Amino acid sequence: MLRNKDLLGLRETAVEEIHEILNTTELMKVVITSNNKKTPHLQGRSVITLFYENSTRTRMSFELACKYMSGTASSVSASTSSVTKGETLIDTARTLDVMGTDIIIMRHPMTGAPHLMAKNVRAAVINAGDGINEHPTQALLDMFTMRERFGGIKGLRIAIVGDVRHSRVARSNIYGLSSMGASVVAAGPPTLMPPELEKLGIETTDRVDEAVSGADVVMGLRIQLERQKNGLFPSVREYHKYFGLTEERVAKARDHALVMHPGPVNRGVEISTEVMNSPDSKIDEQVTNGVAVRMALLFMLTRQKPETGGM
Ligand code: CP
């Protein structure tokens, strides 16, 4: 059972809740890897994805998750909605809410937008990425991928490498992995490392080789060119040379360490094609696990919601 109506971030999610989500994901993975991807868990339930930023993996996996569980999945793209006519976020939220929606899944460029929405709707809200704050479902699928390989998270050494400053994936992973007992080291150019990392009690370094040495998991992050000003690093070619995940660098990790990346990937910038295609790369498995973790969350958030009575 989740304590809150919504899933807005891993900072406020308890360890026991994370365990329960990962246990439920394991059951859901059996469904999506079978030839009968249909369960009745969301029968009669309605889910809307409301995305103010582009997405392939997150949006599609939520929609598939809903359909696999017999729910009604609908999608609103901000660029083709009444948002373009000046409708406020709260008015949009209330409009969707009174259509009988059970869960609204939201991605927004502003930190805190899903939190604001959650306060103004009866539906459960899932944060599918808010600005540079959190992307909790990505971190949950990342943790599930690690747990599948290692049997648990506690005691693992995780190197998170790249544009940590602009990465909501990194923040959610840092909150979730730290509370689950992993040791996290963040590495990248100093200009792409946020100052608050030290307060979170994690190691930081500008030497990727040092971070990767002895790691159980090496997680590359996308350089978010759309969110940053020019001049934070000299060029993509130099970035790859000094901070990219190359075969030589990844070889410093433990034998058969997992290589992960949330996608989308800038090939040849933060990670080389050879590393992406290596047997230790779990990038495709992460995408598969994304569907399973989102099925688990849709199920758990609708299960705890009391019936409001039929018409
Ligand atoms: N990892 C991730 O959030 O990918 P999308 O932007 O494609 O959803």
Side-chain angles (χ1 to χ4, degrees):
M1 226 23 178
L2 299 177
R3 288 176 306 177
N4 296 323
K5 168 176 85 70
D6 315 288
L7 180 81
L8 300 174
L10 293 193
R11 179 149 63 167
E12 59 267 15
T13 304
V15 176
E16 301 72 41
E17 293 178 294
I18 295 177
H19 278 298
E20 193 178 340
I21 294 165
L22 301 185
N23 290 341
T24 311
T25 301
E26 204 169 315
L27 303 176
M28 296 305 181
K29 185 145 184 198
V30 176
V31 176
I32 60 166
T33 49
S34 77
N35 285 330
N36 183 14
K37 298 178 192 49
K38 208 66 173 174
T39 77
H41 293 118
L42 284 190
Q43 206 153 20
R45 299 294 196 163
S46 171
V47 173
I48 291 184
T49 55
L50 171 62
F51 276 51
Y52 290 76
E53 285 183 351
N54 295 340
S55 166
T56 301
R57 280 149 280 269
T58 312
R59 178 143 92 174
M60 193 47 63
S61 60
F62 267 117
E63 290 177 13
L64 284 175
C66 178
K67 288 173 184 167
Y68 289 163
M69 293 194 293
S70 311
T72 302
S74 311
S75 163
V76 182
S77 169
S79 61
T80 55
S81 72
S82 291
V83 167
T84 59
K85 300 177 194 166
E87 187 170 59
T88 67
L89 177 64
I90 292 175
D91 287 341
T92 302
R94 288 195 177 135
T95 301
L96 300 178
D97 199 37
V98 294
M99 289 179 182
T101 311
D102 293 293
I103 301 190
I104 300 172
I105 295 144
M106 185 194 194
R107 174 171 286 187
H108 199 282
M110 296 298 293
T111 288
H115 305 67
L116 179 65
M117 174 172 275
K119 286 197 184 110
N120 285 280
V121 293
R122 175 199 47 85
V125 175
I126 299 180
N127 180 1
D130 63 322
I132 59 169
N133 181 37
E134 282 219 48
H135 188 353
T137 64
Q138 177 69 43
L140 287 165
L141 75 88
D142 293 339
M143 285 194 276
F144 181 76
T145 306
M146 295 174 204
R147 195 179 86 152
E148 269 192 322
R149 163 73 174 80
F150 297 106
I153 306 284
K154 196 170 179 174
L156 295 179
R157 177 177 166 85
I158 321 286
I160 300 181
V161 179
D163 184 357
V164 182
R165 177 169 170 168
H166 299 98
S167 177
R168 51 201 180 200
V169 174
R171 273 181 194 74
S172 283
N173 265 298
I174 289 167
Y175 295 133
L177 289 166
S178 302
S179 68
M180 294 285 278
S183 129
V184 181
V185 52
T191 48
L192 295 179
M193 299 292 273
E196 78 266 18
L197 283 184
E198 281 175 19
K199 280 192 225 141
L200 298 176
I202 66 160
E203 250 181 87
T204 60
T205 177
D206 59 1
R207 293 165 197 257
V208 176
D209 294 291
E210 194 180 284
V212 167
S213 288
D216 298 290
V217 178
V218 181
M219 184 186 294
L221 297 175
R222 184 171 68 89
I223 285 288
Q224 300 199 26
L225 295 168
E226 76 277 22
R227 284 192 217 280
Q228 59 187 260
K229 301 186 202 96
N230 289 335
L232 294 180
F233 58 89
S235 70
V236 289
R237 196 195 303 200
E238 274 174 306
Y239 183 87
H240 184 68
K241 183 172 171 196
Y242 294 107
F243 302 101
L245 295 180
T246 57
E247 283 179 298
E248 195 186 4
R249 282 209 174 98
V250 170
K252 296 184 194 308
R254 291 182 66 179
D255 275 353
H256 305 301
L258 298 189
V259 175
M260 299 173 66
H261 190 299
V265 171
N266 294 309
R267 273 178 193 265
V269 182
E270 67 265 4
I271 187 168
S272 70
T273 292
E274 294 74 27
V275 173
M276 275 184 76
N277 296 343
S278 73
D280 294 323
S281 165
K282 291 288 164 197
I283 297 173
D284 289 344
E285 197 68 26
Q286 285 173 266
V287 176
T288 305
N289 290 342
V291 181
V293 88
R294 285 157 183 145
M295 286 174 77
L297 287 166
L298 294 180
F299 168 61
M300 291 171 77
L301 286 170
T302 47
R303 193 175 54 143
Q304 67 187 15
K305 192 160 169 286
E307 289 291 335
T308 49
M311 304 254 315

